Amino acid sequence: MTFYTFARGVVKIVLSPLYRIEVSGLEHFPKDGGVLLCTNHIDNLDPPVVGITAPRPVSFMAKAELFNVPILGNIVKNVRAFPVKRGLSDREALRNGLKLLKEGNVLGLFPEGTRSKTGELTKGLSGAGFFALRSNAYVVPCAIIGPYKPFKKLKVVYGKPVPMEELRLKKVSAEEATAVIMSHIQSLIDKHK
């Protein structure tokens, strides 16, 4: 058993009953191949919640500072996360993300780049569009619909993959591709509130 599997099991035992997590749309999640999983960001617990509800292991980009925190840094490394320097064009992080997707793994991203202070979806950064356009990965939108309050229902909704072929053929910008992805996340939020 890997550390990821062990940690996922422990976190699931704690968070699932605490937040009465309800998951829907798993039938849309591709069983194999690279997947760019794009999710709204409303709480620090979003990465573990996505990690325990997604049907396949997810690798997240995490802010580089976390890797320097004693104990937490080792945990973050061992749950498949890799560092990204925020506010910069971090070429190493971009290469790592593309490599994961090309190898058929799941890359989890929060396109907003940081948590929403209001809980409303904010503008996405171009990174999601970059990965979507530069890889042939499926792009799966996901909505976390809160609030994170003990014993209140928390919904995690996985949507159908965003059709990217036309956008790739039109050679749209990363910003435009991100905007399309964000509109799919917003649709999930609106439909399942």
Side-chain angles (χ1 to χ4, degrees):
M1 178 191 296
T2 65
F3 181 79
Y4 183 96
T5 308
F6 169 75
R8 186 179 191 268
V10 170
V11 171
K12 194 170 194 166
I13 287 168
V14 174
L15 295 185
S16 288
L18 182 62
Y19 295 112
R20 295 180 51 220
I21 297 173
E22 180 185 280
V23 185
S24 61
L26 288 175
E27 69 277 7
H28 303 308
F29 208 101
K31 297 200 180 350
D32 47 40
V35 174
L36 178 63
L37 178 58
C38 295
T39 307
N40 62 320
H41 201 2
I42 59 171
D43 195 276
N44 282 332
L45 289 173
D46 293 341
V49 164
V50 171
I52 64 172
T53 59
R56 293 171 54 192
V58 182
S59 296
F60 284 102
M61 282 186 171
K63 59 184 178 181
E65 299 82 29
L66 291 179
F67 291 82
N68 300 324
V69 178
I71 301 170
L72 179 62
N74 277 336
I75 292 171
V76 172
K77 266 184 227 147
N78 285 305
V79 292
R80 297 173 170 242
F82 62 97
V84 61
K85 294 178 188 107
R86 296 197 308 176
L88 304 166
S89 177
D90 185 342
R91 288 171 192 241
E92 182 69 17
L94 296 176
R95 274 195 296 273
N96 283 336
L98 283 175
K99 183 172 183 277
L100 277 164
L101 293 170
K102 285 183 176 149
E103 290 172 351
N105 296 299
V106 180
L107 173 61
L109 273 192
F110 298 101
E112 295 162 283
T114 189
R115 284 176 323 224
S116 165
K117 305 238 183 322
T118 62
E120 300 294 315
L121 194 65
T122 60
K123 186 175 188 279
L125 304 174
S126 60
F130 169 85
F131 286 118
L133 296 171
R134 292 284 178 97
S135 70
N136 285 319
Y138 295 99
V139 178
V140 175
C142 174
I144 301 171
I145 303 165
Y148 279 85
K149 293 224 168 104
F151 311 113
K152 298 265 189 217
K153 192 181 289 178
L154 182 74
K155 293 182 189 173
V156 181
V157 184
Y158 292 94
K160 291 179 181 167
V162 179
M164 295 302 301
E165 296 74 25
E166 198 175 314
L167 297 177
R168 289 179 185 125
L169 288 172
K170 284 184 179 173
K171 299 198 179 335
V172 301
S173 70
E175 290 80 11
E176 291 169 304
T178 297
V180 170
I181 294 166
M182 298 308 283
S183 72
H184 282 261
I185 297 171
Q186 186 64 60
S187 294
L188 290 175
I189 293 168
D190 294 342
K191 188 176 174 188
H192 295 276
K193 255 185 185 172

